[in-house]
Every structure is written in C-alpha cells, then in structure tokens.
Amino acid sequence: MLPLLCLALVLSTLAPTNALPNGAPTSVCDNMLPFHGGGIPALTTKTPFLITPQSTVIGSGQTLKLDIESFPANIVFKGFMLQARQVEPPNSIVGRFEATDADAIKLIECQGKDDTATHTSTSPKRELTLEWTAPDGFVGDVVFNATIAQDYDKFWVGIPSEPVRVVASSTTVAPGATPTRRPTTTTTVPPYRPPQTSAPVVVDPIYAGCGESKGCFGFPEGCVDTRDCRAVVTIAVLGARYVFELKSGHNRPAYVAFGLSSDAKMGDDSVLECVPEQGTVNAYASWTTVGPYGSTRLGVPQNIFQVLEKSYTDGTIYCKLERDAVSMVKGQKFDLVGDKFHLLLAAGSSVESTNVNYHDIGRHVSGSPQSLAEVGPVQGSSKLLLRLHGAFMITAWIGTASLGILLARYFRQTWVGSQMCGKDQWFAWHRFLMVLTWALTVAGIVVIFVEIGGWSQVRNPHAILGIVTTVLCFLQPLGAFFRPHPGSSKRPIFNWLHWLGGNLAHVIAIVAIFFAVQLQKAELPEWMDFILVAFVAFHVFMHLIFSIFSWVQIGGCVSERRSGQRVTSFPMADMTPSRNSMSSSERKQDAAFSGFRKSMLFLYILIVLGLVIAMVVIVVLAPIETAYNNIKEQIMN
C-alpha cells in the first residue's frame, strides 16, 4: 500500500516486511502508525498536508465532504488513512465514509462498518475529496485524524482537522448525498483567535555581523542588506577554523547547498549540502558534474567537515558547519587559506538518495573569486546578458515581428503610391522590420548561450520553444531570397509557406515568452502574464478589425470588377484590391478606407510600442521588484 502510510505493514504471517500497496490494514486502527521496514519513525516536523472539512456544523445523519490537500498546493502524497473520532473520551471512531471513488478510496472496518478510509494504491495523489456521514442520533464534536504518507520513509501520523460539530437534525440525508443547507436559528460560534498585536520586526540572527565579522552571500541580489534572502550562506574565519552557516526557508526547500568553484560555472565544484530528513537536518559533501549537469555524493569524502548546529523548523533549513582548511576531493586540492573561489549557493525542492536535484528555488554565483577570509559584501555575478536576452526577444517578437506581419497582411496592395529604396513602402518597411527581428533574435540567442554556457537544464519548455522559433526565423529570409517570380505557378505555394512560417514562428515565440515568466532565474513578477495577455488580445482584435474592413471593401463597398465580371477570389494575403485596377469612384471610396487603415496602424504602433517599453523595463528592473516583494512578504509574516 502506501509507500507512505501503508508502507510496509507486516502481512500477518506472511512476509512481515513487505509493504502493502492497497491500503492500511485493520491492525493499525488504534495508533494509525504504519510499520515500515527498519522501524522508520513518523516525521515530527510541520506537515504540509491539511484535512479540511467543507463545513464546521452538520446535522446527525447528514453527509459532510472533506478534502485532503496541501499547502503549498500540489504536493504529492501516495497513501493515507482517515478516521473521525469523538473529541470527548473515549474518543471512539464514529460515522462512516461513503464509497465515492473506488479507484482511490478503500473503506475498512475498525470499530464499525466503513468507519475508516484508506488508499487503494500508491499512485501519486495531489488532493482528494471524501464524504463522511454522521451517525443517526449522534450529537457532539468530532475531529478527523489522518496519517499521510508522502513516501516510504516520509509520513506524518495523527494530522487533525478543525473540529466539526454534529447537531440534532430532524432531516436525515440519504447515504452519499450532500445535505441541503436550510436557514436555522442556531448560532455558530466562530473559533477563538487571540487579538493581534503589533510586534517589533525580529531580524534573523544569521545576518548579525555580516560585512563586519563574517562574509554573507545570498539570493536574490541585495537580500543580505534587506535581511530577507531566500537562501543565504555566511562565512566566518575563526583563526584556522572555517565556519559556514546555511539557511533557507523559501517555499519549504528540500535542500540548501553551498559550493566552491574555480570558474563560476557548474562542474567540478566541492559542495556542502544541508538536507532535512526524518525531522532533522543531515549534512553531506558532494561534487558537481557536467554532461549531464548534476551532483553526486558517491566517491566524495564525508570527513572534510563537522556539523556544529542544525535545525529544521516550519520548513526552514539551518545548519552550521566547520570545514577543513585543506582537503582533497576527487583528486583536487581545496585550500581555503591560500586559494580564492567563486561562491555557489543553491536551494531546491527535491532530492534523491545520493544527490540533490535541480535548484528550482534559486541559484546564485559570486561575480569574482575571493578569499574566504574577506568579510566585505559579496557581489553576485552580473545578469546583464540575461536581461539583454529578454529585452531583445520581447522587442523582436512583441514589437517588430508583430508590426511587420501586420504590414504585409493588410497594406501590400494599398501602400504602393510611394517607394523607399526602390521598393513599395509596405515591402520596404516589412523587410526592414523582419530583418531587425532576425538580428535581435540572433543576438538574443547568442547572449543567452554565452550566459548559460550550454543547454539549459531547467525543466521548462522555454528553451526548446526558443530554438524552434530561431530555426523558423532563419528559414524565412532564405525562403524569401529564393521566392519565385510573381507570375510563376509556384508563387502561391511560396506565399502560403512564407505566411505559415512567419505566423508559426510568431505564435511559438509568444508562447516561449509566457513560459519565461515562470523561470526562477528571470525573476519576473507573475503579473507580467497579464501584460502578455493584454498584448495577445489587442493583437488579435486589430487583426479582426483590419480583416473585417478589408473584406467589406472587397465584397461590396468597392465592388471591384475585372473584365466585366465580379472578382470572387484573391491571392493569399491580398486583403485589399489593387489601386491600379480601380475606377475613379472606387479610388475615392478606397481613400476613405486607406485613411482608416492608417489611423488604426498608427494606434497599433503606439500601443504595441508602449507594451514593449513596459515589458523591457520590467525585465531590466525585475530584481528590484523581487526584492520589494520579499520585503513585503517578510513584513506581512
């Protein structure tokens, strides 16, 4: 059953150490304690899981829904066991659960029929809703108690819900049904909450002495000054002793790690990790690798450091380590006295048995190598190239590409009265804007590869979408260079392929920018999504406006006729008739439409330009916004 709760319960007389994958047995009804091989104890840390009744008062015989959920959301669990017990002694199990989801919920009998719910398999679950029916004639308070197993060796026992009051009811709801709430004169007393009093802001003691008696390094940039780092490491040199403190509590990290590097790049670096395990914090020495990027503890001596202090409280990891001044790791000598190092700091949300996983909470690298004895401020590496990448791509695909596509789509037949560089105005501007898009895209790709030093290891489709966009961007000018003559029978094929390639690249680029907002390294505010949505909505709206007026002009207002017959088909993307084929009256009508199109084009340029400037400013100033949000969150907490 549960690699978590159910985890290895003894199969009675058979294989006493095998885990039960199909739910908790009745032998643990009283203590709800899974028997896991080797006597693994339950975790005593604060659980991320919640048992949430959907009502705090129900009538006897009525049915109540309750949720197994997590905070933060979407934390996976594999097994559970749930009971409702009287608050008053003898704390008997009461009521029964309803068989609402046979694939996920199994009902067993502990003190009465179906009075306990457990899992049917160890498949990952993110949330679950159950239904419980109060006994007929029962009046009193009950609390739902649960055991939740997140993994074989990680489970919490006796997680309580808020109390639920069962009151006398003249209406008994049929099993499995949800009661209909009626007006009642019963007054529900809200739970007691102590009065809130203002208290002075307490500064985390880990920051005491930063820049004076010890060096401090954390992320995001500038957080040491504001005392609100997502992760921080301090370095104190006490004679011949090198003492490191590591701390992280942002998003309940699974580890915080600190490394020494010779080149500011991941690979061949000596790392110390602090990992919460079974209610305590364990420290490990590890080694970073490349191809693929990762880390490992295998073959790394674990006697190069000593643990001085450690704690794990409310999801915050803290450890204090003393590292040998000179050590050999993987054949390399690390001399903390005589050598200078780049400092690496990382935190992530998952670990394996022999290594930590990707640093999805954050990673920071010092900008230059330094002696560990220095106690001045430690500056992080520059993110100029990262900011330039974002600015280039936004300008290219939100700005120049959008305008270039619009011009080619709706102005190719009308903006031909004057020329620039020997070409019609629409074509000259279309070519200029798309060449600029190509140049900005190439520049953006180059700077991000220089910044990262290779392929991104982030589990986010942004990188692959960016490469697809770049490939399509390269193909477009090549296709245009070899385009057939306008009179060629192959020209319509080229028109469609060129249209498809350009629009596909544009759409994929916009999607890639949406995914970029989720990247931890970008440090972009979540509300930037709303600006992107506003752009997409405005862009689509303008296309609709141009299309409607163009088809109105073609279909009736202009009444274009050629050779005595009405035109019923037009080349792909020729959304307006050629002025050379119009009569004088048609030219007057077309002039009115042209004025409208130009006004709308001017409006489009102004709004898109404003959006591009706003997004570029956000990309450049994103670290400032992140720091502000961290300070606000700290004050509110």
Side-chain angles (χ1 to χ4, degrees):
M1 150 236 154
L2 27 91
L4 308 168
L5 208 229
C6 41
L7 234 214
L9 277 163
V10 178
L11 275 180
S12 251
T13 58
L14 300 176
T17 59
N18 290 341
L20 299 180
N22 58 347
T26 56
S27 59
V28 297
C29 284
D30 291 334
N31 57 23
M32 304 182 72
L33 180 65
F35 178 83
H36 290 182
I40 299 174
L43 294 176
T44 58
T45 56
K46 183 178 180 180
T47 176
F49 298 101
L50 305 172
I51 310 301
T52 308
Q54 296 185 9
S55 176
T56 57
V57 179
I58 66 168
S60 58
Q62 293 185 337
T63 299
L64 169 72
K65 290 185 178 182
L66 58 152
D67 302 314
I68 299 177
E69 51 191 2
S70 65
F71 183 84
N74 295 324
I75 297 178
V76 171
F77 65 96
K78 297 180 180 178
F80 70 94
M81 184 178 186
L82 183 63
Q83 299 173 340
R85 291 182 175 265
Q86 290 179 269
V87 172
E88 298 295 331
N91 308 120
S92 301
I93 303 174
V94 296
R96 70 176 186 276
F97 288 89
E98 305 297 336
T100 55
D101 187 351
D103 292 333
I105 302 170
K106 174 184 175 182
L107 306 182
I108 61 176
E109 179 177 341
C110 284
Q111 296 179 6
K113 181 176 174 58
D114 297 340
D115 62 357
T116 300
T118 184
H119 58 277
T120 58
S121 70
T122 58
S123 60
K125 309 163 186 64
R126 297 186 185 277
E127 59 182 10
L128 192 64
T129 299
L130 300 92
E131 293 183 5
W132 174 83
T133 300
D136 292 333
F138 175 83
V139 175
D141 292 340
V142 298
V143 169
F144 293 90
N145 290 102
T147 295
I148 304 292
Q150 190 174 5
D151 213 333
Y152 180 85
D153 58 353
K154 185 181 292 186
F155 56 92
W156 292 263
V157 174
I159 303 172
S161 71
E162 292 294 324
V164 173
R165 174 159 296 180
V166 181
V167 299
S169 175
S170 59
T171 303
T172 302
V173 179
T178 303
T180 301
R181 297 185 181 178
R182 301 176 302 165
T184 176
T185 57
T186 303
T187 301
T188 303
V189 180
Y192 170 76
R193 289 184 173 83
Q196 299 294 319
T197 58
S198 59
V201 177
V202 178
V203 177
D204 194 322
I206 197 172
Y207 298 104
C210 285
E212 299 175 357
S213 60
K214 61 184 181 182
C216 300
F217 182 58
F219 63 80
E221 188 73 41
C223 68
V224 172
D225 295 332
T226 55
R227 306 301 198 253
D228 62 346
C229 295
R230 294 181 181 179
V232 63
V233 59
T234 71
I235 309 161
V237 181
L238 308 176
R241 300 172 58 209
Y242 286 78
V243 178
F244 303 86
E245 292 179 284
L246 289 88
K247 190 169 188 177
S248 179
H250 182 78
N251 287 349
R252 301 184 70 88
Y255 73 88
V256 58
F258 166 70
L260 302 176
S261 174
S262 59
D263 57 3
K265 299 292 184 180
M266 184 174 176
D268 297 336
D269 311 312
S270 179
V271 177
L272 297 180
E273 309 167 355
C274 294
V275 182
E277 296 174 327
Q278 300 183 23
T280 186
V281 175
N282 293 325
Y284 302 97
S286 63
W287 186 256
T288 61
T289 59
V290 291
Y293 286 103
S295 67
T296 181
R297 301 170 194 156
L298 301 177
V300 179
Q302 301 296 317
N303 60 351
I304 63 174
F305 68 92
Q306 301 175 26
V307 179
L308 304 180
E309 297 178 28
K310 59 183 181 179
S311 66
Y312 185 61
T313 306
D314 293 335
T316 298
I317 306 170
Y318 171 80
C319 64
K320 187 175 184 180
L321 313 173
E322 179 181 343
R323 176 166 177 157
D324 294 346
V326 179
S327 56
M328 292 292 296
V329 183
K330 294 285 188 177
Q332 294 192 27
K333 181 180 178 180
F334 287 82
D335 183 355
L336 309 190
V337 179
D339 294 339
K340 293 186 176 183
F341 301 94
H342 285 275
L343 310 183
L344 310 179
L345 180 64
S349 60
S350 63
V351 298
E352 304 290 343
S353 59
T354 61
N355 62 273
V356 298
N357 289 330
Y358 180 73
H359 39 75
D360 53 352
I361 292 178
R363 170 183 177 269
H364 205 28
V365 183
S366 62
S368 60
Q370 66 178 63
S371 169
L372 298 186
E374 297 178 14
V375 296
V378 181
Q379 297 297 326
S381 59
S382 172
K383 293 188 177 180
L384 174 62
L385 295 182
L386 183 69
R387 304 299 168 203
L388 285 176
H389 168 76
F392 288 160
M393 291 305 193
I394 287 174
T395 303
W397 294 101
I398 300 292
T400 58
S402 301
L403 182 56
I405 291 173
L406 197 79
L407 288 175
R409 180 69 170 164
Y410 302 105
F411 290 83
R412 62 185 301 169
Q413 295 296 324
T414 58
W415 202 357
V416 295
S418 60
Q419 292 190 337
M420 183 172 65
C421 300
K423 299 292 183 181
D424 289 335
Q425 285 280 0
W426 79 266
F427 182 79
W429 282 107
H430 171 74
R431 183 171 59 181
F432 169 76
L433 291 168
M434 301 321 286
V435 168
L436 186 57
T437 299
W438 182 90
L440 288 170
T441 301
V442 172
I445 287 292
V446 169
V447 297
I448 198 61
F449 269 97
V450 172
E451 167 70 16
I452 297 177
W455 184 254
S456 173
Q457 300 298 308
V458 181
R459 297 173 183 174
N460 183 299
H462 173 77
I464 187 65
L465 292 175
I467 292 298
V468 172
T469 299
T470 304
V471 171
L472 291 172
C473 184
F474 262 86
L475 293 177
Q476 285 296 96
L478 291 177
F481 182 79
F482 293 104
R483 67 185 181 274
H485 187 272
S488 171
S489 61
K490 296 181 180 180
R491 184 58 179 246
I493 298 176
F494 163 79
N495 287 345
W496 279 107
L497 290 178
H498 192 66
W499 173 86
L500 179 63
N503 283 277
L504 193 60
H506 191 223
V507 170
I508 295 175
I510 300 301
V511 174
I513 294 173
F514 269 99
F515 278 109
V517 178
Q518 303 173 15
L519 292 172
Q520 174 275 326
K521 194 171 185 178
E523 297 180 335
L524 295 174
E526 294 182 358
W527 49 262
M528 186 171 177
D529 279 335
F530 294 105
I531 299 180
L532 291 171
V533 169
F535 162 74
V536 171
F538 175 70
H539 183 72
V540 171
F541 172 76
M542 293 299 291
H543 271 275
L544 289 174
I545 293 295
F546 277 115
S547 296
I548 290 171
F549 274 86
S550 295
W551 284 110
V552 167
Q553 179 182 358
I554 292 173
C557 294
V558 176
S559 301
E560 177 184 358
R561 295 177 179 272
R562 295 176 183 172
S563 303
Q565 294 183 347
R566 189 176 189 77
V567 174
T568 58
S569 63
F570 300 89
M572 192 281 298
D574 292 354
M575 298 299 295
T576 55
S578 171
R579 292 181 61 89
N580 295 329
S581 63
M582 295 181 184
S583 65
S584 59
S585 62
E586 291 170 343
R587 289 177 182 272
K588 292 180 181 179
Q589 295 177 10
D590 180 65
F593 282 97
S594 296
F596 171 79
R597 281 194 299 269
K598 290 178 181 179
S599 298
M600 295 302 292
L601 178 63
F602 182 70
L603 174 65
Y604 182 86
I605 293 174
L606 284 180
I607 293 181
V608 170
L609 180 62
L611 289 172
V612 169
I613 292 175
M615 284 186 274
V616 169
V617 169
I618 292 171
V619 168
V620 173
L621 301 182
I624 297 177
E625 171 70 17
T626 301
Y628 168 75
N629 288 337
N630 289 338
I631 295 173
K632 182 171 68 173
E633 179 180 352
Q634 186 183 44
I635 293 174
M636 294 180 65
N637 291 337

